């Protein structure tokens, strides 16, 4: 067992122990954990100070996750767009390959809360191979995004086989890996892994940092190791109430990422997923914050403000021109001119 696997095995997942450590209601914690998985790495346990700090809000369970909030379990219609268990095919030229269903730690606002970490959605390696066959049989696919779960929880040998098989498909050009390990399990980014990823260029790694406190010395080392191996890094941040919905925090985060050779790529409006409504930031505030970033930081440090439109309609860069009206429900104009409604407050 590698050191990062030993570290992962030492994570805390017992609801009673987590409730006691952070002063949470034991019954509510157990209720949430019975529906949605819970795990805190030793790295996170060192970072979280209280349940209400920016890290605690992201990773500690809250009773609001079980609220009847009227939101959908799968608002992006991924299930409808999944020809196979390991594939989500929304755009003609690119596809999601769900390379596993586990995470090192479980974000409480996850867009796949309905499935990630749940035994019923476990993906054996054979399902990944079927996904590869689908990609090979679909010449329109030019880009493959490995997501999940977290693809970097695969052992090096399994990840290497997956990448090598993808590289043997002639029409696949760009590979992307989306991972949160740099912020929750940075020891996963070993020299061997960095070398492995660097061999499969063009391969881009999308990180997930939401708050400057996640930019730890261990994360710095992981970023530097990947950059030195020639792996381009871009970050996706989710806009979250009480975590990063203020100008000072976003400026520090975006400038900090750029200093670490990580391009702030997207600032995502929270997907309207059941059990996540307590994290929602109104679109008006997101537009204000992106305008403030443009006034304050280098253009390289300004992410695109993105909303993933419900029903599988795809991502939309939010600008004043794309907003038709804002209220309890927002009305947005999609890239093809369709008017789309989504919850806003």
């Amino acid at each position: 067992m590698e050191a990062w696997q030993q570290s992962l095995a030492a994570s805390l997942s017992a609801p009673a122990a987590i409730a006691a450590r952070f002063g949470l209601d034991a019954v509510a914690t157990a209720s949430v954990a019975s529906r949605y998985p819970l795990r805190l790495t030793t790295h996170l346990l060192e970072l979280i100070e209280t349940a209400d700090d920016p890290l605690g809000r992201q990773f500690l369970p809250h009773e609001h996750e079980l609220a009847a909030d009227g939101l959908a379990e799968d608002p992006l219609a991924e299930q409808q767009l999944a020809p196979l268990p390991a594939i989500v095919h929304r755009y003609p030229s690119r596809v999601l390959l769900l390379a596993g269903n586990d995470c090192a730690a479980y974000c409480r606002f996850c867009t796949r809360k309905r499935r990630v970490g749940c035994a019923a959605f476990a993906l054996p390696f054979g399902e990944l191979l079927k996904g590869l066959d689908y990609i090979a049989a679909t010449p329109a696919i030019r880009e493959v995004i490995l997501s999940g779960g977290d693809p970097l929880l695969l052992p090096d040998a399994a990840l290497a086989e997956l990448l090598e098989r993808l590289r043997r498909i002639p029409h696949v050009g760009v590979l992307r890996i989306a991972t949160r390990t740099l912020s929750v399990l940075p020891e996963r980014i070993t020299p061997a892994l960095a070398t492995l990823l660097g061999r499969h260029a063009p391969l881009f790694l999308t990180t997930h940092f939401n708050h400057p406190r996640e930019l730890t010395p261990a994360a710095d080392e992981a970023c530097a190791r990947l950059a030195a191996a020639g792996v381009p890094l871009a970050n996706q941040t989710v806009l979250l109430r009480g975590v990063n919905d203020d100008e000072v925090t976003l400026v520090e985060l975006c400038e900090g990422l750029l200093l670490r050779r990580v391009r702030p790529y997207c600032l995502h409006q929270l997907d309207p997923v059941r059990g996540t409504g307590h994290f929602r930031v109104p679109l008006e505030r997101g537009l204000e914050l992106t305008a403030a970033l443009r006034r304050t930081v280098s253009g390289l440090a300004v992410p695109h403000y993105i909303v993933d439109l419900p029903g599988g309609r795809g991502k939309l860069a939010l600008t004043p021109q794309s907003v038709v009206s804002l209220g309890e429900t927002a009305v947005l104009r999609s890239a093809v001119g369709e008017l789309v409604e989504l919850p806003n407050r």
Side-chain angles (χ1 to χ4, degrees):
M1 184 180 291
E2 294 190 44
W4 68 270
Q5 293 170 314
Q6 294 173 355
S7 179
L8 186 62
S11 298
L12 189 60
S13 58
I18 290 172
R21 178 163 182 150
F22 294 102
L24 306 176
D25 181 272
V27 174
T29 299
S31 295
V32 175
S34 69
R35 174 61 185 90
Y36 300 116
L38 176 60
R39 180 157 63 193
L40 303 175
T41 60
T42 55
H43 180 77
L44 275 180
L45 289 170
E46 293 175 359
L47 291 179
I48 299 173
E49 296 174 352
T50 70
D52 286 329
D53 75 16
L55 278 299
R57 286 176 179 266
Q58 293 185 66
F59 294 103
L60 294 178
H62 196 287
E63 60 186 2
H64 287 167
E65 294 179 56
L66 300 178
D69 54 15
L71 299 177
E73 285 192 326
D74 181 20
L76 305 184
E78 288 190 333
Q79 193 65 33
Q80 298 173 36
L81 298 167
L84 293 169
I87 293 287
V88 178
H89 196 173
R90 182 189 306 174
Y91 306 103
S93 66
R94 60 191 185 274
V95 72
L96 279 181
L97 178 64
L98 302 179
N101 197 51
D102 293 322
C103 291
Y106 293 98
C107 304
R108 311 321 300 173
F109 50 88
C110 180
T111 193
R112 299 191 183 108
K113 280 178 74 74
R114 70 191 186 280
R115 62 172 295 162
V116 171
C118 300
F121 290 94
L123 285 171
F125 199 73
E127 289 295 342
L128 299 187
L129 297 182
K130 292 178 184 176
L132 294 178
D133 289 341
Y134 174 87
I135 294 167
T138 313
I141 296 172
R142 300 192 301 275
E143 180 175 353
V144 177
I145 303 163
L146 278 66
S147 186
D150 199 312
L152 293 192
L153 290 197
L154 290 173
D156 284 6
L159 185 61
E161 181 176 352
L162 202 56
L163 294 175
E164 287 162 7
R165 286 173 178 262
L166 283 166
R167 276 285 165 245
R168 290 200 290 268
I169 300 174
H171 52 267
V172 172
V174 174
L175 301 178
R176 256 195 281 174
I177 296 178
T179 181
R180 191 144 203 207
T181 54
L182 283 82
S183 57
V184 301
L185 187 71
E187 55 267 51
R188 175 62 184 105
I189 311 301
T190 62
L193 177 66
T195 299
L196 165 63
L197 299 180
R199 286 203 304 263
H200 290 282
L203 183 150
F204 295 78
L205 195 86
T206 304
T207 63
H208 182 175
F209 293 97
N210 287 331
H211 192 274
R213 277 184 50 201
E214 297 170 38
L215 299 175
T216 61
D220 294 352
E221 184 178 349
C223 292
R225 186 168 282 161
L226 289 164
V231 180
L233 303 173
N235 187 69
Q236 297 188 96
T237 292
V238 181
L239 185 60
L240 300 167
R241 181 187 299 171
V243 174
N244 55 17
D245 57 337
D246 66 275
E247 180 181 348
V248 171
T249 297
L250 284 179
V251 167
E252 185 179 350
L253 175 63
C254 292
E255 290 187 332
L257 288 165
L258 206 57
L259 287 171
R260 291 161 176 83
R261 291 182 282 179
V262 182
R263 169 75 163 89
Y265 173 47
C266 289
L267 176 65
H268 277 286
Q269 180 70 9
L270 179 72
D271 293 330
V273 175
R274 183 177 301 170
T276 67
H278 54 296
F279 285 109
R280 185 180 301 119
V281 177
L283 291 167
E284 296 95 324
R285 182 60 177 153
L287 290 166
E288 291 172 1
L289 289 168
T290 50
L293 283 173
R294 291 190 189 97
R295 293 193 301 266
T296 307
V297 302
S298 156
L300 281 173
V302 179
H304 301 287
Y305 183 31
I306 297 293
V307 62
D308 213 336
L309 297 173
R313 294 177 176 89
K315 291 183 171 64
L316 175 70
L318 280 181
T319 65
Q321 292 72 35
S322 63
V323 176
V324 177
S325 65
L326 296 172
E328 289 297 320
T329 298
V331 180
L332 306 177
R333 181 174 287 105
S334 76
V336 297
E338 181 184 8
L339 298 184
V340 182
E341 295 185 356
L342 75 159
N344 187 38
R345 299 197 182 99

